[in-house]
Structure formats: structure tokens, C-alpha cells
Amino acid sequence: MATTSAATFSIGSTVSFGRRGSPPPLTKPSAARCTSQNSLASFSGLKAATSVKCDSESSFLGKESSAALRGSFARKAQKPSQSSHHGLQLQASYKVAILGAAGGIGQPLALLIKMSPLVSALNLYDIANVKGVAADLSHCNTPSQVLDFTGASELGNCLKGVNVVVIPAGVPRKPGMTRDDLFNINANIVKTLVEAVADNCPDAFIHVISNPVNSTVPIAAEVLKQKGVYDPKKLFGVTTLDVVRANTFVAEKKNLKLINVDVPVIGGHAGITILPLLSKTKPSVSFSDEEVEQLTIRIQNAGTEVVEAKAGAGSATLSMAYAAARFVESSLRALDGDGDVYECSFVQSDLTDLPFFASRVKLGRKGIEAMIPSDLQGLSEYEEKALEALKPELKASIEKGIAFAQKQPVTA
């Protein structure tokens, strides 16, 4: 049975790009309009343009990143031309692997990552049915080369030289299934895959999507420690979907322009451990006590909302793919030297008394450059109480993952 996956990504821009640089997504969606008088090379067969124009109502760009994008093109335009035909060359240069690429999240995630101008190679792995996915995607005229890898014997080759590994592999949620029900199956899957990552690309950014994230990230950390290659700055639990949902629901509730909304989400990635900080919503907006409670509960239970709506036919695969692709693009931008990349993620943390915690982090070429402790300061009374209430459940999930990994010796 093919493993499943989750992800997100920034599409919707009318962009003609060459080969080096991507419409950089940031922590919140926003519109951007940028122009460059330099000619750009055609983007893998897409029509070449004499200017760069980004008009995106659904991209990850925020107001701050619009300026960063303009600055990025300005800096690159000043560099000597790499081609006698074009004043500005963009170059795909990063290798991404998706482990669980034939699943419900993996397939749309692979499509979204295939669209990134920063990706030169896209390696797709699964235990079955991945060859057709790769063949299909390989027909898309974007720069990255797509390769497929099936089964444990090909996993090592899939991971050689990879910069970013995304792990959506595992079984999906079904009606009535809690995230804890997923644990026994997905814990073993994540352990096995992370062992291979440790052996073949220990310096890669590792994005864990497989649920329950509150436990699978600590499992991954323990495996990497046992392998002697653990770098806490490069291990991420992908909680971006919680932010995406919070932004969407708040914009709908308060009739705001979605591209301007940014709601930080802290804690974990399941039930009450998901804590949207509505008091820190940008732009500043007031909520009644009833609205705070309704929005918080809806954001926490949004996954169940989708599972029930699909009536046994799947879980939140498309929105997860969108969110995961956004986090991949942010990681690629950070690797490419963008100094203004922030995302919420479940990571090793010292912001609370818990060893892992989801919060906003600043990303750089070596992974996490900084935590943002100010996000946890000045919380509302409701948020303070919710933060204390989530800690026991999150602590138990973390300890469950650590205990599982410590009882399971890693393969040599």
C-alpha cells in the first residue's frame, strides 16, 4: 500500500521566471507586484518575459516579503550577466526528496514542488505506485528532473546529496481515528525513513509531516542522536497547516483581505495542543470572547472537519500539501540566502519547559537561526490558560515518541 503524504505551496502568481530564484513565500500570504527591466530566460518552456510581474492573491508573499522580492531581483540584476542573451539568470540548484510520494499528500505536494524554480532535482520515493507519479510529473516543463525510487532497496539512492527531505509517509486518518491511533504504524515508518536519512544525507533539512507530529518529531530526533548526526536546527515538524487554517478562518470571520492576515500558532500539532495566538493577529483586530473560543476550537479541529466531510474517502491531503510546499519553499529560500524567512514549526525548543514546541522561527542556510520568544510574551488570559492546559498532553506525546525510539535500536 502506498504511503501517504502532506504538503503546501505557493502558486497563483502570473510569473515569468528564469532559472534562479523563486517567488519567495513567507509566513503569510500576500500580494506582490514587482518589475524588472532585465530580460529573463524562459522558465522551462514557459513564455519568456522582458519584465518580472508577480500578481498573486494566493501566494505566500507578505507585505514584508514583497519588498524583499523586489530587492532580491534588484541585487541579482546588478550582477554580471551569465548569458549573452539575458540580463538576469535564475538557476535551479536544490535537490528535494519526498518520502511517501505516491500517497494522498505526496502527489499534490510533488506537483507543487515541481513548480519551484529553485529545485533542480525532485526524487520521489514510496513502497509502491511511485513510478507512474514520476512519469506524469516529468512531463511538466519546469526545471527539476524527476526520478522515482521504489522500496527499501532504492531508498538510499533516493536520498544521496539531497538538501531537503520531506516525510509525509504513513497511513491517513479515517473517521473516528485519533492521531494517537496512527502512532504504532507511523512511528515505525518514520523511524525507518529517518535512519536512511541519517545514513545518506545527514546535513539535509528534515520536514516531518507524518502524524502524530507531536511524537514523530521526537522519534526522528532520537534516531538521529543514536546515529550521531542530530542537528536540532535542521529537524522540523511541519505545522504550517495550522497557520494556513488560522489565517483563512480569521480572514473569513473578520472580513479581512486574506493576503494581509498572519496568525502565529504555537504548541503542537494535534487537538488542544494547537494554540492560535489570536491576540497577535496581524493586522491588529479585536475578537469577542465567544469569537476567540469558536475560532480556536475550529482551528484545533479543522482536520476532523475535513475527515468527516470526506466521509471515509480521505483526510486533509490537499490543504496539507499546500502547507507543506510553502514550508519547503521557505526552506529553499533560506538555503538560497534569503535573510527574511520566518515560519512556525514544531522543533526542539527552550521557550517553555517542554523539549519540543511549535513557534515561529527564523530560517537560514544552516537551519534555525533564531527563536522568536516575544510571541509568547503578552498573551491574553485565554491564551495563557490554554498554553498551560496543552502542556500535559503535549508532554505525554513527546515522551511517548522518545520512549518508542529508545526501545527500538537503530539499524547499523
Side-chain angles (χ1 to χ4, degrees), residues 212-261:
V213 166
N214 293 351
S215 297
T216 54
V217 171
I219 289 171
E222 289 300 312
V223 169
L224 295 167
K225 288 176 185 177
Q226 292 174 37
K227 288 283 190 176
V229 295
Y230 179 48
D231 184 348
K233 296 180 179 180
K234 295 183 177 181
L235 176 63
F236 307 91
V238 180
T239 62
T240 319
L241 181 53
D242 300 324
V243 177
V244 166
R245 286 168 168 162
N247 292 350
T248 301
F249 300 163
V250 166
E252 290 173 351
K253 173 70 75 173
K254 307 304 284 187
N255 196 27
L256 299 172
K257 196 169 185 180
L258 180 58
I259 58 175
N260 295 327
V261 177

Side-chain angles (χ1 to χ4, degrees), residues 32 45 57 77 81 110 138 156 182 190 196 215 220 225 242 275 286 305 310 315 322 342-343 346 350 390 408:
E57 292 296 322
S81 171
S138 70
L182 302 176
V190 170
S215 297
K225 288 176 185 177
D242 300 324
L275 179 55
S286 62
E305 182 179 312
K310 289 190 175 182
S315 57
Y322 170 84
Y342 296 83
E343 288 284 358
F346 186 65
D350 59 4
L390 70 81
Q408 307 284 334

Side-chain angles (χ1 to χ4, degrees), residues 11 16 58 94-95 134 145 150 189 202 246 250-251 297 303 330 354 384 390 392 412:
I11 322 278
S16 293
S58 60
Y94 296 101
K95 191 172 183 178
Q145 179 185 21
T150 302
I189 291 172
V250 166
I297 291 173
S330 290
L354 299 172
E384 289 279 10
L390 70 81

Side-chain angles (χ1 to χ4, degrees), residues 199-358:
D199 291 339
N200 294 280
C201 55
D203 293 328
F205 285 21
I206 304 171
H207 296 185
V208 179
I209 296 169
S210 307
N211 279 316
V213 166
N214 293 351
S215 297
T216 54
V217 171
I219 289 171
E222 289 300 312
V223 169
L224 295 167
K225 288 176 185 177
Q226 292 174 37
K227 288 283 190 176
V229 295
Y230 179 48
D231 184 348
K233 296 180 179 180
K234 295 183 177 181
L235 176 63
F236 307 91
V238 180
T239 62
T240 319
L241 181 53
D242 300 324
V243 177
V244 166
R245 286 168 168 162
N247 292 350
T248 301
F249 300 163
V250 166
E252 290 173 351
K253 173 70 75 173
K254 307 304 284 187
N255 196 27
L256 299 172
K257 196 169 185 180
L258 180 58
I259 58 175
N260 295 327
V261 177
D262 183 22
V263 182
V265 181
I266 64 169
H269 186 55
I272 67 165
T273 70
I274 300 168
L275 179 55
L277 300 181
L278 297 173
S279 69
K280 295 183 178 290
T281 298
K282 294 180 180 177
S284 180
V285 60
S286 62
F287 299 93
S288 68
D289 291 346
E290 183 180 10
E291 286 176 328
V292 168
E293 185 169 7
Q294 289 176 345
L295 282 167
T296 299
I297 291 173
R298 187 183 179 199
I299 293 162
Q300 291 173 340
N301 296 328
T304 301
E305 182 179 312
V306 175
V307 169
E308 292 177 350
K310 289 190 175 182
S315 57
T317 53
L318 300 178
S319 54
M320 184 62 244
Y322 170 84
R326 161 175 154 169
F327 195 76
V328 169
E329 189 75 354
S330 290
S331 293
L332 295 175
R333 286 175 48 221
L335 285 167
D336 204 43
D338 190 328
D340 191 30
V341 182
Y342 296 83
E343 288 284 358
C344 289
S345 182
F346 186 65
V347 298
Q348 181 174 312
S349 172
D350 59 4
L351 294 184
T352 70
D353 53 351
L354 299 172
F356 293 88
F357 194 77

Side-chain angles (χ1 to χ4, degrees), residues 367-384:
I368 298 171
E369 287 191 347
M371 303 284 181
I372 314 296
S374 60
D375 282 350
L376 272 67
Q377 299 168 2
L379 300 182
S380 69
E381 181 181 356
Y382 179 92
E383 290 162 352
E384 289 279 10

